[in-house]
């Protein structure tokens, strides 16, 4: 890409404000964190209800970015850069992508549906890549922002595109169609995802079909409703010679009719009829979703005129698609970013940005990279671009694996190269991995999972998976409830409610929350040592921790005269001036805080004291989640208003005020004051069932089946023989127990786990390191995955059964359980 910036004025319908008219751009960015931003970047400042990229323009200019598409020019940067001023920057991004797409003329496959889009896209890329130079959506970039970013990655060497489009409501697909402009349409499985955005299933299908307004062929699974929608769609969007290419298990009028389907071990064997010829196809999966996705791919191959032998040879090599970047603990204090299943130029850019967001403070950044395929560039041009990316991201060392990258290792400043993965493994001990953040990025053929296994910290096979995207979603949900000028403090105490403090704090810092809250000083110190720069409030500081709080520039909550005087004494000894403190009022919780009868003495103590500054005044609601006691909450808020106003008036100060917790944000919007404190809601748990449906699950506790045995009627399981089999019973043992945080009360058929999407009741007592479940009716084997909690059972279900609260379930998960973070 090399485009004259001024030529984009009519594309954006923009007003030009700038001095340098002779500028060429080669990169579009919407991410202010990206180290790939530079002098030839056009930064498009997206502005939404929860984030405004215009706030980052000044720091981007300081980093060398000079060209911006904006909705307004902040006062502080006027005259300092080139600006294309538009009405709506998201529309501008989409308009540019549509303009850029028109510069190329080759077949584009457009995919939409409720489920399977990303899987089908990745499989089609694999199946067609021997014959085409393919550009495809990276990861699952299928949104109003993701689609234009995907299309902008096209270059002159590509000759086939595969892009997916996802929508959540009406009037979205038409915008994506104008960007993708597919010639070939594939409609994948239609399910219940995002149902809430549509009146009914028919409306959803019709909206999705709008992606195919100008396609020559539409590939789909035949059924009565889809056929009806296609008929209506064709009448409204007629195209000469458009064809519908259908498949079915049941309707023999389909173009491809599945005559037989047989499951055999891990395989599915189908016989399909096409053009009066029956052919067999072996699909290396036995679940129905994968089989249907493979059949969608089959129809594309048939449309492209591949013969049955070639189809069989390629389809039998299909593989499970990992759709996320995972962060794992590594050996010798390393962090591992596992992206070991794909190697293309566009996803490398995404992975490098993710590496930057996850890097440990002062840690070396290392990239282990295989040969890159399907870039559309010559090798010389490709590895020059890769080297520029690596340099921009300040990677300390590159380990190249593969014959091609090895021949270009001189393009990297600090590169060790190996011809293959086996050579790397042989030299592993000599590479001395320690205190590094390591991105492992490789094509499947290089089997980089072996490298991940070598570098990964060896712990037991129980993990707590943390979905960072879900945290972002939940944060934005609660932000949407706040007035524009209200700040937000997020609680990351108790190891981020059991989910992992530092990693979540990094994400919150990216989202520019205003404060982090921890319970004790050592939690705050750990975050500061991890590189967190956000202000951190310590809610329960002990007087012995005051020197450390001052040293690490934490901010203490002060809740008693004794604590205040102790802090003031140290502050004076250290000659502090205006050190921020937070004054806690007791308005009825009766846990910590200044009561009304101590306010006068508090005021006298603080008057004319320059050592500290009252940064905020706060209190805590006792019953904000219980409608029966909302009257008490109103009294608390009234008392807080009275006491805080008195403190402000007497001291002539205007600090931040905050009283609302998670449920308070939802139930008492008129008491937002200057800031709110978000806690358990960030982690996907609400006390309100009507609100719960808008939150996404964050933590999924997983394990595996260690062993399966069948016991006869009359035999017992576990300590105390608390389970007695009434009939022949198949028992699976799971390596997780009360030492990992699973309550013993959850045993003895009160609780359950999920295996193969089916409930398996816990039988007998939960042991220290193991529990046993009844899998008599589940087709499972040793090594299969087990969900301890997540979508089912939820922590809310567990808490109700155990007569406790979700907080206790989440924070009880032991530190010996490995946390895996992913997007």
């Amino acid at each position: 890409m090399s485009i004259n910036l001024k030529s984009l004025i009519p594309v954006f319908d923009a007003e030009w404000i700038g001095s340098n008219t002779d500028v060429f751009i080669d990169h579009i960015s919407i991410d202010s964190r990206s180290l790939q931003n530079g002098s030839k970047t056009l930064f498009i400042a997206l502005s939404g209800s929860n984030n405004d990229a215009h706030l980052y323009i000044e720091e981007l200019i300081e980093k060398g970015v000079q060209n911006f598409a904006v909705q307004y020019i902040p006062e502080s940067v006027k005259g300092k850069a080139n600006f294309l001023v538009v009405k709506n920057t998201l529309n501008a991004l989409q308009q540019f992508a549509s303009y850029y797409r028109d510069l190329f003329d080759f077949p584009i496959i457009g995919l939409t549906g409720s489920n399977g889009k990303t899987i089908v896209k990745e499989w089609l890329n694999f199946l067609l890549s021997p014959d085409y130079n393919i550009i495809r959506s990276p990861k699952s970039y299928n949104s109003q922002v993701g689609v234009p970013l995907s299309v902008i990655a096209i270059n002159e060497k590509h000759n086939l595109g595969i892009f997916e489009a996802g929508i959540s409501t009406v009037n979205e697909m038409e915008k994506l169609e104008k960007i993708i402009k597919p010639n070939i349409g594939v409609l994948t499985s239609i399910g219940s995802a995002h149902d809430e955005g549509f009146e009914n299933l028919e409306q959803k299908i019709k909206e999705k079909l709008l992606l195919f307004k100008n396609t020559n062929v539409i590939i789909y699974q035949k059924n009565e409703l889809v056929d009806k929608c296609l008929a209506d769609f064709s009448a409204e969007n007629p195209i000469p010679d458009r064809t519908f290419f259908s498949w079915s298990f049941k309707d023999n009028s389909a173009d491809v009719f599945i005559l037989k389907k047989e499951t055999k071990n891990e395989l599915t064997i189908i016989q399909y009829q096409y053009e009066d010829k029956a052919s067999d196809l072996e699909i290396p999966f036995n679940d129905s979703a994968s089989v249907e996705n493979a059949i969608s791919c089959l129809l594309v191959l048939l449309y492209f005129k591949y013969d049955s032998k070639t189809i069989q040879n390629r389809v039998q090599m299909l593989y499970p698609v990992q759709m996320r970047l995972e962060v794992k603990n590594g050996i010798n204090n390393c962090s591992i970013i596992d992206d070991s299943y794909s190697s293309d130029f566009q996803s490398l850019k995404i992975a490098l940005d993710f590496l930057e967001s996850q890097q440990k403070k002062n840690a070396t950044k290392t990239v282990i990279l295989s040969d890159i395929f399907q870039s559309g560039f010559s090798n010389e041009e490709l590895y020059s671009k890769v080297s520029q990316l690596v340099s921009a991201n300040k990677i300390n060392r590159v380990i190249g694996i593969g014959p091609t990258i090895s021949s270009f290792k001189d393009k990297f400043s600090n590169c060790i190269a190996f011809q293959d993965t086996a050579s790397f493994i042989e030299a592993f001990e000599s590479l001395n991995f320690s205190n590094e953040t390591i991105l492992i990025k490789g094509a499947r053929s290089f089997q980089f999972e072996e490298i991940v296994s070598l570098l990964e910290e060896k712990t037991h096979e129980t993990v707590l998976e943390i979905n960072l995207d879900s945290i972002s979603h939940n944060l934005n949900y609660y932000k949407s409830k706040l007035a524009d000028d209200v700040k937000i403090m997020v609680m990351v105490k108790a190891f981020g409610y059991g989910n992992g403090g530092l990693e979540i704090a990094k994400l919150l810092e990216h989202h520019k929350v205003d404060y982090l809250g921890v319970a004790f000083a050592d939690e705050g110190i750990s975050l500061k040592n991890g590189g967190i720069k956000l202000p951190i409030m310590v809610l329960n500081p002990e007087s012995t921790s005051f020197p450390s709080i001052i040293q690490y520039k934490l901010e203490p909550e002060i809740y008693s005269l004794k604590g205040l005087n102790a802090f003031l004494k140290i502050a004076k000894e250290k000659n502090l001036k205006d050190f921020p403190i937070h004054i806690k009022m007791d308005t009825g919780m009766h846990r910590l805080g200044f009561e009304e009868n101590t306010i006068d003495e508090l005021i006298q103590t603080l008057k004319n004291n320059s050592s500290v500054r009252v940064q905020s005044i706060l209190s805590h609601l006792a019953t904000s989640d219980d409608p029966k006691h909302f009257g008490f909450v109103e009294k608390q808020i009234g008392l807080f208003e009275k006491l805080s106003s008195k403190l402000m008036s007497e001291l002539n100060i205007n600090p931040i005020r905050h009283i609302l917790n998670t449920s308070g944000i939802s139930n008492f919007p008129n008491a937002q004051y200057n800031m709110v404190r978000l806690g358990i809601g960030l982690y996907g748990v609400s006390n309100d069932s009507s609100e719960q449906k808008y939150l996404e699950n964050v933590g999924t506790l997983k394990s595996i089946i260690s062993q399966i045995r069948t016991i006869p009627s009359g035999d017992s399981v576990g300590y105390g023989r608390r389970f007695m089999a009434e009939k022949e019973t198949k028992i699976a043992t799971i390596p997780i127990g009360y030492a990992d945080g699973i309550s013993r009360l959850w045993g003895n058929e009160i609780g359950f786990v999920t295996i193969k999407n089916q409930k398996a009741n816990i039988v007998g007592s939960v042991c220290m390191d193991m529990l046993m479940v009844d899998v008599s009716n589940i087709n499972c084997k040793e090594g299969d995955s087990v969900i301890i909690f997540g979508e089912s059972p939820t922590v809310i279900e567990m808490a109700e059964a155990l007569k406790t609260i979700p907080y206790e379930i989440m924070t009880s998960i032991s530190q010996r359980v490995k946390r895996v973070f992913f997007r």
Side-chain angles (χ1 to χ4, degrees), residues 259-272:
L259 297 165
K260 288 192 301 186
K261 176 186 171 187
E262 176 188 358
T263 301
K264 186 177 180 181
N265 297 324
E266 300 294 313
L267 308 175
T268 300
I269 300 168
I270 65 169
Q271 186 178 75
Y272 63 93

Side-chain angles (χ1 to χ4, degrees), residues 550 564-579 604-612:
I550 293 168
L564 176 59
N565 288 322
F567 191 82
L568 290 175
K569 181 174 183 293
I570 295 174
K572 288 174 183 175
E573 290 172 356
K574 294 183 176 291
N575 296 315
L576 298 183
K577 186 172 178 58
D578 290 336
F579 193 93
Q604 291 305 313
T605 305
L606 287 172
K607 262 186 179 177
N608 302 317
N609 194 311
S610 61
S611 297
V612 297

Side-chain angles (χ1 to χ4, degrees), residues 260-384:
K260 288 192 301 186
K261 176 186 171 187
E262 176 188 358
T263 301
K264 186 177 180 181
N265 297 324
E266 300 294 313
L267 308 175
T268 300
I269 300 168
I270 65 169
Q271 186 178 75
Y272 63 93
Q273 184 172 306
Y274 174 56
E275 293 182 341
D276 299 323
K277 180 184 177 183
S279 303
D280 291 330
L281 180 64
E282 188 178 280
I283 299 169
F285 303 96
N286 59 17
D287 64 288
S288 59
S290 296
V291 171
E292 291 184 10
N293 290 334
I295 294 172
S296 292
C297 294
L298 165 65
L299 264 72
V300 174
L301 295 177
L302 291 172
Y303 178 75
F304 275 68
K305 306 298 184 187
Y306 284 89
D307 61 76
S308 59
K309 183 178 180 181
T310 303
I311 291 172
Q312 177 59 76
N313 288 340
R314 295 188 185 181
V315 168
Q316 69 184 3
M317 297 170 65
L318 290 178
Y319 50 87
V321 174
Q322 300 293 327
M323 292 185 290
R324 64 197 195 189
L325 290 161
E326 288 190 344
V327 184
K328 303 175 178 179
N329 290 330
I331 60 173
N332 304 326
N333 198 36
C334 290
S335 285
I336 310 300
I337 299 174
D338 182 2
D339 197 4
S340 59
Y341 60 91
S342 70
S343 182
D344 60 87
F345 185 67
Q346 187 66 5
S347 66
L348 175 61
K349 294 164 108 176
I350 295 168
L352 286 169
D353 281 341
F354 186 69
L355 165 64
E356 183 61 25
S357 72
Q358 293 297 314
Q359 182 203 4
K360 289 185 175 181
K361 183 181 179 183
N362 299 324
T364 298
K365 290 191 286 187
T366 297
V367 174
I368 301 176
L369 184 64
S370 78
D371 287 349
I372 295 174
F373 302 124
Q374 295 176 271
S375 69
F377 304 112
S378 68
N379 284 336
E380 177 70 31
E381 188 178 6
L382 168 63
Y383 289 100
S384 294

Side-chain angles (χ1 to χ4, degrees), residues 60 116 124 156 256 322 359 385 404 573 704-705 737 792 810:
L60 283 164
L124 285 176
E156 292 76 8
V256 178
Q322 300 293 327
Q359 182 203 4
K385 287 179 175 289
T404 309
E573 290 172 356
I704 63 163
I705 298 175
S792 179
M810 296 166 67

